[in-house]
Amino acid sequence: MADSPAMTYGGYLRLDDLLSCQEPKTRAHDELLFVIIHQVYELWFKQILHEAELLQRRLEEGNSAGALHTARRIAKILKTVVGQLDVLETMTPRQFAAFRTVLGSSSGFQSAQFREIEAVLGRRAFPASDLRDDARLRAAVARPSVFDSLLRYLTGHGYPVPREVLDRDKSAPWEPDPGVQKVLLAVYADESAPAAEVCESLVDVDEGVQEWRYRHLKMVERTIGAKIGTGGSAGADYLRRTLFAPAFPDLWEVRSQTEEVPVDGG
């Protein structure tokens, strides 16, 4: 049998396919940048979903070190996603206007993968049309969220998470829970414990998503101002409404409940 041809860099990465995926619809110089930035977003979203699946599995296995490593990777990816906006913001409003009309009904708010990320992180309220047309989104909404997996992790490490919370309908929106917040206060009381580090790593992920929303909002505002977004979306107004909606509200709420610890002056 003949030897297999040697693997090449371009062959392994399928660069011929990858680099043929950019097809600007106009002669505007900046349209290629717009296309590449958004395609790279989708690649990173794919990786986030890949990592989130591992994160949930490691949480439910009680694997502190593994969960911490994976959550930190997701947070780093989100930093990279936010950093891409620095490049996109080099495009002026006039440069964007040169090709905006060809976008037609397309809009970044139609990103199926970002909707799925939101669902994995706990969002349950989606338009009926999104759920009807997207089997992956329907599946993500029906299964436990990352926060549900965290609660399983805490239970496995001996923290008394209320039974009714563990057995709740995972397809229902999460409501901040005083019993869970009491457990989280106990977790944070021992900052040297792995559980506290894991919780903080999820706060980093949550903050990363909120940072992306903020930077995306400012990018939209500086590019199209108060205009309606492409595809008829509410543009900056939509982002503004969702800006301060954390994925894990209980992890933020316990900060206002933490008592100050006096410093021992020796």
Side-chain angles (χ1 to χ4, degrees), residues 121 174 206-207 210 213 242-250 252-253:
L121 294 178
W174 172 260
D206 199 346
E207 186 173 356
Q210 293 184 60
R213 288 190 188 281
T242 60
L243 183 58
F244 296 111
F248 314 129
D250 300 84
W252 294 93
E253 174 58 30

Side-chain angles (χ1 to χ4, degrees), residues 83-123:
Q84 289 180 195
L85 288 167
D86 291 338
V87 182
L88 197 56
E89 286 181 343
T90 65
M91 183 175 61
T92 68
R94 185 174 293 276
Q95 289 166 341
F96 180 51
F99 64 88
R100 186 178 183 227
T101 56
V102 304
L103 300 179
S105 62
S106 66
S107 167
F109 300 113
Q110 296 169 351
S111 171
Q113 288 195 117
F114 189 73
R115 286 197 302 265
E116 188 178 350
I117 289 170
E118 290 183 310
V120 167
L121 294 178
R123 181 182 171 188

Side-chain angles (χ1 to χ4, degrees), residues 1 50 61 82 112 134 147 222 266:
M1 183 167 58
H50 183 62
E61 291 170 352
V82 170
D134 190 337
F147 194 70
R222 70 184 288 169

Side-chain angles (χ1 to χ4, degrees), residues 48 57 60 87 92 110 261:
I48 289 173
R57 186 162 67 248
E60 294 182 13
V87 182
T92 68
Q110 296 169 351
V261 179

